[in-house]
Amino acid sequence: MKRSQMNADTNTDVSTEVNTDGKTVKATIASPKEIVKQWVAAFNKGDAELLSSFYHSDAVNHQVANEPVVGRQAIYQMFREEFANAEMECIVDNIFQDGEWAILEWKDPIGLRGCGFFHIQNGLIVMQRGYWDKLSFLQAHNLPIPSTKSPSN
């Protein structure tokens, strides 16, 4: 039997698991805020494999300028491609926490800014939503700008 609750004093999840032999084992899982700090460190290493390990196997990463990416393997592939296309760095302005959610306000060395919302359960990201200016990002990294199709009359 597993039980998880928020420890109000430390903002960490405390999970209690009762083994079949009747012994109780307690484990502490990092708070959503701490997990996002670790996520930023992995992002700044450009390590797609390490970064994808923060996600649940069925997680959704929706950078709203793009289509949602579903599943840890697809998220790994997304980061692998992004790190191959552009040198990126996340500089933390603020990280806020509200229960199972952490909110990251960030900037990068060339002036881009954005924010990310991370829903974290049992120490893993189950949903991430990110807001940033895609056109400015593409222009800053000299990447191709997708053409827009005009509606036919």
Side-chain angles (χ1 to χ4, degrees):
M1 175 173 83
K2 288 186 178 180
R3 185 174 46 128
S4 180
Q5 62 190 32
M6 182 60 75
N7 182 334
D9 296 330
T10 62
N11 280 334
T12 58
D13 285 337
V14 178
S15 298
T16 303
E17 184 175 326
V18 178
N19 294 332
T20 55
D21 62 4
K23 293 181 182 175
T24 301
V25 177
K26 292 184 180 181
T28 301
I29 300 172
S31 69
K33 184 175 183 175
E34 278 303 312
I35 290 170
V36 170
K37 286 179 182 178
Q38 294 168 18
W39 181 95
V40 168
F43 181 91
N44 287 340
K45 288 179 182 177
D47 187 336
E49 188 171 346
L50 176 60
L51 199 55
S52 65
S53 73
F54 285 88
Y55 293 85
H56 184 274
S57 60
D58 297 322
V60 175
N61 184 318
H62 187 193
Q63 302 303 303
V64 297
N66 301 320
E67 292 297 316
V69 177
V70 180
R72 182 184 299 130
Q73 186 59 35
I75 291 168
Y76 161 77
Q77 188 64 33
M78 175 193 74
F79 282 121
R80 194 173 82 108
E81 291 170 9
E82 288 179 354
F83 291 141
N85 288 329
E87 189 173 319
M88 298 180 287
E89 181 180 353
C90 178
I91 301 168
V92 174
D93 273 343
N94 288 296
I95 301 176
F96 303 99
Q97 180 177 320
D98 183 16
E100 294 181 335
W101 287 85
I103 300 101
L104 167 66
E105 180 184 12
W106 59 266
K107 62 186 174 189
D108 76 359
I110 59 175
L112 296 173
R113 301 184 75 80
C115 61
F117 294 78
F118 297 78
H119 186 194
I120 298 170
Q121 294 180 328
N122 298 316
L124 293 172
I125 300 167
V126 294
M127 200 279 291
Q128 178 186 353
R129 209 170 36 247
Y131 298 90
W132 45 277
D133 181 349
K134 184 175 183 175
L135 179 58
S136 295
F137 176 84
L138 294 173
Q139 290 173 331
H141 292 282
N142 295 315
L143 295 170
I145 297 171
S147 63
T148 56
K149 296 180 183 178
S150 59
S152 56
N153 296 1

